[in-house]
Amino acid sequence: MTLRERLGAVTPFFAARAFALGNLAFLGVDILLAHAANDFALPVEWLPVVFSVVAPLLLLPGLVSERLWARTRVVDVAVALGSIGVGVAGMILHLHSAFFERQSLHDLVYTAPFVAPLSYVGLGLLVLLNRMEAPTGPAWASWVVMLALGGSVGNLGLSLLDHAQNGFFSATEWVPVVTAAFGTSFLLVAMLRPARGFLWLTLGMMGVQSAVGVLGFVLHVLANLRHTNVPLREQVIYGAPIFAPLLFADISVLAAIGMWGLMRGVSHAQGSLGVGSLAHASKEV
């Protein structure tokens, strides 16, 4: 089989499973840098790093072998629930760091980003969705778009809070905020009224969002490297978060997978979120 034939055989369902595995692994690297800023002051800060090492290894057999995929349902559900638990616990711990004590806007902006751990929740829900909803059924692709929408809302919040820390010193720092707002709006409409023409338009918007993310990554790296008298390790840990802008591209990829499924006709009841199907599947778990 040629490379072109192999790529042609890839389905949205396989892409979503690979997306979940890859992102769980990459989150470990991102969190390793983030928690290194305070030298892992609390032992519990190692938990998401360890989870991001173990979880992808547990998901990998089912990804590379359809035979093993059929036998590892319990493992995947356990990983999904663990990911959701890590995300919720992380959000509570981040908020508890200062916001719960004083409940001020200052503490919300300048403390650990409470939205960031919810990435684990989104990925856990994606893994759970892949086990609970048939990819050829009427709801799977719509659910994927909804998860991308949730990620886009979180990304909008992160963009606002991160750049508010320096008072939007440069006017260009508003670009990711505006882009995230437009991306969120497009995904909301695409989820509610997934007309084929608008799905293509939304894919174009996701392309713009990806470009903004890559550009932001480059700008963050250049900003950190500008201080030549500071050791590289400190620039990476304490400077502008180099991986944060790539969340734009990441969400765009997930959204594209969902819209790919919709346009392939995977979702026959377009616009339906399949709540009934999900509830029925939850009984099986």
Side-chain angles (χ1 to χ4, degrees):
M1 182 180 290
T2 65
L3 177 60
R4 184 175 181 179
E5 290 172 335
R6 289 179 183 273
L7 292 176
V10 174
T11 63
F13 184 56
F14 179 85
R17 290 158 56 195
F19 177 91
L21 187 153
N23 273 265
L24 281 172
F26 185 76
L27 272 177
V29 178
D30 191 27
I31 292 172
L32 188 65
L33 292 176
H35 288 178
N38 68 343
D39 292 324
F40 288 87
L42 299 174
V44 72
E45 293 182 26
W46 283 102
L47 177 60
V49 178
V50 174
F51 182 82
S52 284
V53 172
V54 175
L57 295 177
L58 294 175
L59 295 177
L60 184 60
L63 182 67
V64 299
S65 169
E66 290 300 321
R67 181 174 59 85
L68 291 176
W69 164 257
R71 298 180 178 181
T72 54
R73 176 185 176 87
V74 174
V75 174
D76 284 12
V77 171
V79 168
L81 296 178
S83 185
I84 293 170
V86 168
V88 172
M91 181 191 69
I92 294 173
L93 289 172
H94 278 205
L95 282 171
H96 189 67
S97 61
F99 179 69
F100 279 168
E101 297 176 6
R102 292 179 288 274
Q103 297 183 8
S104 68
L105 181 61
H106 177 276
D107 291 310
L108 185 61
V109 171
Y110 291 99
T111 55
F114 75 95
V115 178
L118 293 181
S119 297
Y120 279 104
V121 176
L123 291 172
L125 290 175
L126 180 59
V127 174
L128 203 58
L129 170 65
N130 290 336
R131 280 298 186 176
M132 295 171 66
E133 194 70 51
T136 55
W140 181 84
S142 293
W143 274 113
V144 173
V145 174
M146 193 188 76
L147 289 175
L149 172 63
S152 187
V153 172
N155 190 35
L156 174 59
L158 282 174
S159 298
L160 276 170
L161 294 176
D162 285 352
H163 292 154
Q165 291 184 14
N166 68 343
F168 287 90
F169 179 77
S170 172
T172 57
E173 294 181 21
W174 283 102
V175 173
V177 177
V178 174
T179 304
F182 271 97
T184 300
S185 302
F186 271 73
L187 286 174
L188 178 61
V189 176
M191 184 188 71
L192 296 176
R193 301 181 65 87
R196 191 175 186 85
F198 190 80
L199 289 177
W200 279 110
L201 188 62
T202 305
L203 281 173
M205 183 63 217
M206 293 301 102
V208 172
Q209 190 167 261
S210 296
V212 169
V214 173
L215 178 60
F217 169 75
V218 173
L219 291 176
H220 278 207
V221 170
L222 292 177
N224 291 340
L225 296 179
R226 190 175 299 131
H227 306 287
T228 56
N229 59 329
V230 179
L232 180 61
R233 179 181 181 276
E234 294 187 10
Q235 292 177 29
V236 173
I237 293 176
Y238 300 107
I242 58 175
F243 294 132
L246 294 180
L247 184 57
F248 281 91
D250 201 48
I251 291 170
S252 298
V253 170
L254 181 60
I257 292 172
M259 288 183 286
W260 178 17
L262 287 174
M263 288 191 289
R264 278 171 57 111
V266 173
S267 178
H268 300 294
Q270 293 187 337
S272 170
L273 293 182
V275 175
S277 299
L278 193 62
H280 174 72
S282 64
K283 296 178 182 179
E284 298 179 358
V285 177

